[in-house]
Amino acid sequence: MQFCGRRKDSLRKIGLLVFFLTGFLLLSSCQKSEPPIKVGFLGCLTGRSTDLGVAGRDGFLLSINEVNAAGGIAGRKIIPVVRDDGLDPEKVKVVLRELLDEGVSFIVGPMTSQMAMTVVPEVKAAKIPLISPTVSTNQLIGLDDYFFRVYYANSQAAKAMADYVKTSGLKTVVALYDTRNLAYTEDWVRIFTERFSGDGRQVEAVPFNAATVGSFYDLVSLIKDKNPDGLLILANSIDTALVCQQAMKLNLLIPKFATGWSYSGKLITYGGKSVEGLVLVQSADLKKDRPELQRFLKAFRNGYFVDPTFPAVHAYDATRLGLHALEKLGVGGDLKQELLSIKSFPGILQDFALDEYGDVINPPIYFMKIDEAVFHSL
């Protein structure tokens, strides 16, 4: 009888063990059944504008890595899905479709205005939020769509630059602009011209296509023949450096200005002495004494072993904004409306808010000047 009792006790323990193991396996199975959250990135990762796209991608990935390291969103891992648009209107449609087919919750990007104008109708139809780090075209202001941005608009930056150039006393300015990003450059030049012109001041716009231009020397020779007081360059960092190099060769030693597009890469490395004195309008001052910025700078340097540029900062913020909205989103909620409901967000450079159309309210604008191979705030 004692043996029978011990046997029953053993069976009871085995039964309890089986019960708990079964429960554990069922719980594990339920946890594993929770799918990861996919988030897309869309940017130019090949070609002459790679500095912009690669920096944006790196900021995007850093943000996702940090969230995953902290446990994801409600225990769900974030899966980044990266696509290269090649700054090509046809290619961007294809890779956007790939992102949508992957089932991404939102997309960070694109990095250029021309690509944004191509894909915004598509994401609106799909009802997937598109949060751009660096798109600034005015053509997307005040629209009830699925486009958001954490960057200033052309109207704000171009007017600020025109006012700055006015203070220098210049009368005639040539605006050299790359037509491959026409939604950005043409818009920018128009606003700058309207703001700068008058009282004897005038702007002459000179379009070019960096992919097909035969000679930058000939292009800058054409500008020199116009005998301007100043030169405004709207191009990526590589082409801006090439223009400045040819200007130095041709002894075109006039004040030169550029936009944030030029600041996106290793402009000083590419241009050397030829870019000394160049003044750029900018969206980020990475020397600010702000705890969020200092933490980001440390994390970025530890992750990539280089200093970040402004596209990385804005892509990091854009990704964090989207993930924050996802974390707050209830079952069956609308991510677009959740994004619009955020009244203040702790960005890397400053706290910011979006208006009812997804545009940043009062974004910061800075001026930088290259002096002795270093960017200095003005």
Side-chain angles (χ1 to χ4, degrees), residues 339-355:
L339 283 164
L340 290 174
S341 72
I342 299 173
K343 301 306 179 185
S344 181
F345 186 77
I348 294 303
L349 297 166
Q350 68 171 23
D351 293 356
F352 64 86
L354 304 178
D355 65 17

Side-chain angles (χ1 to χ4, degrees), residues 308-324:
T309 51
F310 80 94
V313 174
H314 297 316
Y316 182 86
D317 270 350
T319 310
R320 289 173 62 240
L321 180 69
L323 293 176
H324 175 71

